[in-house]
Amino acid sequence: MNVTLEAEGLNVKLVTEWLLLTMAITNAFVRVLNSSARHRILSTHNVLKARQFSVSPLYKVVTSPQHLFAYGANDEVTRLAASRRRPLTLADLLKHGRPPLSKDALLASANFTLSLLPARLASRIEALRNLPFIVVSNPHVSKIYNNYLHSLSTLLPYQQRQVTTLEAEKHFAEVLADLVHTHTNTIPVLARGFLECRRYIDSAEVTRFLDTHLRARIGTRLIAEQHLALHFASQPVTDDGRPPKSTAPSNYIGVIDTALQPARIVKLCEDFVGEICELKYGVRPRLTIGGQPDATFAHVPVHVEYILTELLKNAFRAVVESGNEREPIEVTIAAAPDVPSNHVLGPCSPSLGTQPHQPDSDVGFERDSVAGTADANESIKHSSPSTQSITIRIRDRGGGIPPEILPNIWSYSFTTFSDLDLQGSENGNMDALNAMSSSSGHLSSIAGLGYGLPLSRAYAEYFGGSIAVQSLWGWGTDVYLTLQGVGKVG
């Protein structure tokens, strides 16, 4: 009996010691794992932190001792994005005179450009930060974010000391050229990023963000390209301030053609689209120009060319696919008559259903509802309400737009983009004309995204114009493009 009890006591003791040993080993293993996990987390954090500080040129520029900023990149971006900005007018872009510019005028143009761009870039950075984290983490969206950081960091040193010499202006022009080149493919890269993140973000939010971003991008590029055009048209400028002698009169002031003839742009776009159409379909619809083909006004030719190319692509495609290629596409050009200014509604008139102008914004219409952006739905404010206006009607017999599609023609169809399949997509957005014209330039690099009409409308509305579509299902479509010019330029 005593032997049995001693044996049972020994077994209990062994089991207890085994359990205690097991618990000790388990606790030690858990501590090792926790320590390893903490080490990995800290290491990852340190790597990311080091990468952030080493990769982001903005941090190095902003926090360097030679600058006045001591609060880090985030605070500087926030401060610039929230800064007050007066409205931009087309007259501002023309105020430095016709090139070639004198030394003083060229420096004034550089400093005027410098006063506008940093806040605009910061506003775009802030808008990207307001997207869901998983979207900003996408490599394509992150690339655009870093591009904006890089561009802002290169401009800040100039903003601190201003451009006071021709040598500094030359370097500043090189920085602007790099900025324009860096952001050439912003739209297709963003579109790819949103495509990959479409399950994490609502399509309405994407449309709203893209509409805001594309309009802001128009203004940013316009400001930069305007000074670059003035810079190259004014070389060489001597230190005594004398500009080079102009060899021939020019209608151009920077990128603005003060005597732009829409009929000439229509013919250029007709040739381009017609060749693509003939190569793909074997037929080339006819196009007739009526109304006032000799009408001229002041505008940006590259913008007008992009809009007309997109509209003519739609018309050519419609008439060919409907079998009505023998019916001509009719283009009618009409210049608005001169009307006393007190009888003309300005772009911000309440009767047009727009909001009154905001004094702390650089937009001509309503402010954006997205936090951190002040240049959404952006439009250049006109210096006078009696500026020139030209309306172009494009009429085709392509069968019209199906009623179920008509409500969606202004939406950004970002889900159809694929660089692996340029020959077709399920909803037809990647049509032959888009695919073949995608190599014609940076404005056509969005071919197949479904951005043609909404981006065209953004370009038109940015200058106070509009695009209206009237479709007669089973017959054809009329598109009314109204372009607002700058008025008479001396």
Side-chain angles (χ1 to χ4, degrees):
M1 186 66 178
N2 292 335
V3 174
T4 303
L5 290 176
E6 289 178 1
E8 289 179 355
L10 180 61
N11 290 337
V12 170
K13 183 178 180 180
L14 290 175
V15 171
T16 302
E17 291 178 352
W18 179 81
L19 289 174
L20 290 174
L21 179 61
T22 302
M23 292 175 62
I25 294 175
T26 302
N27 291 336
F29 184 69
V30 169
R31 284 197 299 270
V32 170
L33 286 179
N34 289 340
S35 176
S36 177
R38 284 196 300 270
H39 176 72
R40 287 196 303 271
I41 292 173
L42 290 174
S43 299
T44 303
H45 174 74
N46 291 334
V47 169
L48 292 176
K49 188 174 182 181
R51 184 178 300 171
Q52 174 188 0
F53 291 158
S54 62
V55 172
S56 173
L58 180 60
Y59 182 87
K60 293 187 288 186
V61 170
V62 170
T63 58
S64 60
Q66 62 187 8
H67 297 296
L68 301 178
F69 313 118
Y71 301 103
N74 292 346
D75 295 298
E76 181 60 18
V77 168
T78 302
R79 184 189 70 81
L80 285 171
S83 60
R84 297 172 64 87
R85 305 199 295 275
R86 69 175 182 82
L88 178 68
T89 68
L90 277 172
D92 287 331
L93 302 178
L94 302 173
K95 69 180 181 180
H96 302 293
R98 291 185 181 274
L101 302 183
S102 65
K103 174 183 176 181
D104 291 340
L106 189 60
L107 295 180
S109 174
N111 287 310
F112 176 73
T113 303
L114 190 55
S115 70
L116 298 177
L117 290 183
R120 288 171 170 268
L121 295 175
S123 179
R124 293 298 88 218
I125 294 171
E126 194 79 354
L128 286 166
R129 288 175 177 174
N130 288 331
L131 291 172
F133 177 77
I134 194 170
V135 177
V136 185
S137 301
N138 177 273
H140 303 293
V141 179
S142 179
K143 177 182 178 180
I144 299 304
Y145 176 79
N146 288 327
N147 284 347
Y148 277 102
L149 280 178
H150 167 75
S151 297
L152 180 57
S153 69
T154 58
L155 290 180
L156 286 179
Y158 291 92
Q159 191 182 44
Q160 297 310 306
R161 60 178 182 263
Q162 296 289 294
V163 180
T164 57
T165 65
L166 290 176
E167 186 67 21
E169 190 278 331
K170 180 181 178 180
H171 289 303
F172 176 65
E174 293 173 355
V175 169
L176 279 186
D178 177 70
L179 184 151
V180 171
H181 176 74
T182 297
H183 296 276
T184 295
N185 293 319
T186 292
I187 299 175
V189 174
L190 270 182
R192 180 183 293 278
F194 282 122
L195 170 63
E196 295 178 354
C197 298
R198 62 187 180 274
R199 65 179 63 180
Y200 308 117
I201 185 171
D202 183 67
S203 60
E205 184 178 353
V206 171
T207 296
R208 188 162 64 99
F209 176 86
L210 285 175
D211 196 53
T212 298
H213 192 91
L214 297 180
R215 291 169 188 264
R217 180 177 180 271
I218 293 172
T220 302
R221 291 185 66 90
L222 178 63
I223 293 168
E225 291 176 345
Q226 176 70 359
H227 178 71
L228 282 176
L230 293 175
H231 167 83
F232 290 114
S234 303
Q235 299 303 314
V237 180
T238 59
D239 289 330
D240 59 6
R242 295 179 182 176
K245 292 183 179 180
S246 179
T247 57
S250 174
N251 295 326
Y252 279 81
I253 300 180
V255 296
I256 300 174
D257 186 353
T258 59
L260 187 147
Q261 190 175 19
R264 183 182 64 85
I265 304 294
V266 170
K267 292 177 182 177
L268 290 174
C269 297
E270 176 198 3
D271 292 339
F272 173 66
V273 177
E275 289 177 2
I276 297 175
C277 194
E278 187 173 11
L279 182 62
K280 177 61 181 179
Y281 297 109
V283 295
R284 179 173 183 157
R286 293 186 300 113
L287 184 145
T288 62
I289 300 177
Q292 300 171 270
D294 296 330
T296 62
F297 72 139
H299 210 84
V300 182
V302 67
H303 293 176
V304 179
E305 183 177 348
Y306 172 76
I307 297 172
L308 289 176
T309 298
E310 289 298 324
L311 298 182
L312 289 180
K313 274 165 39 176
N314 291 339
F316 273 54
R317 176 190 174 192
V319 296
V320 170
E321 293 186 354
S322 65
N324 290 330
E325 62 272 7
R326 294 183 180 274
E327 297 290 338
I329 296 170
E330 301 175 11
V331 176
T332 306
I333 300 174
D338 293 332
V339 181
S341 59
N342 58 345
H343 291 151
V344 180
L345 293 175
C348 299
S349 170
S351 2
L352 293 180
T354 57
Q355 299 295 326
H357 171 64
Q358 302 290 338
D360 61 342
S361 171
D362 60 352
V363 303
F365 293 106
E366 68 270 15
R367 290 173 59 95
D368 185 23
S369 58
V370 181
T373 62
D375 49 3
N377 297 324
E378 172 178 321
S379 171
I380 283 192
K381 189 178 187 304
H382 297 281
S383 55
S384 67
S386 58
T387 53
Q388 292 170 295
S389 173
I390 285 185
T391 298
I392 303 172
R393 183 189 67 184
I394 300 176
R395 169 172 289 178
D396 68 69
R397 285 284 309 277
I401 303 174
E404 65 273 13
I405 296 178
L406 190 59
N408 302 318
I409 62 175
W410 303 113
S411 299
Y412 291 96
S413 182
F414 62 95
T415 58
T416 65
F417 178 71
S418 173
D419 64 345
L420 300 178
D421 182 14
L422 289 177
Q423 299 304 318
S425 69
E426 294 180 356
N427 62 3
N429 281 328
M430 187 69 78
D431 60 272
L433 292 182
N434 275 331
M436 299 183 68
S437 65
S438 62
S439 61
S440 64
H442 73 273
L443 284 178
S444 294
S445 62
I446 60 171
L449 298 178
Y451 285 14
L453 274 179
L455 185 54
S456 297
R457 185 172 68 171
Y459 274 106
E461 291 182 350
Y462 191 85
F463 295 95
S466 63
I467 297 181
V469 176
Q470 290 186 343
S471 175
L472 187 60
W473 177 230
W475 182 262
T477 303
D478 285 0
V479 179
Y480 294 85
L481 166 65
T482 299
L483 298 171
Q484 196 78 27
V486 70
K488 301 296 181 182
V489 179

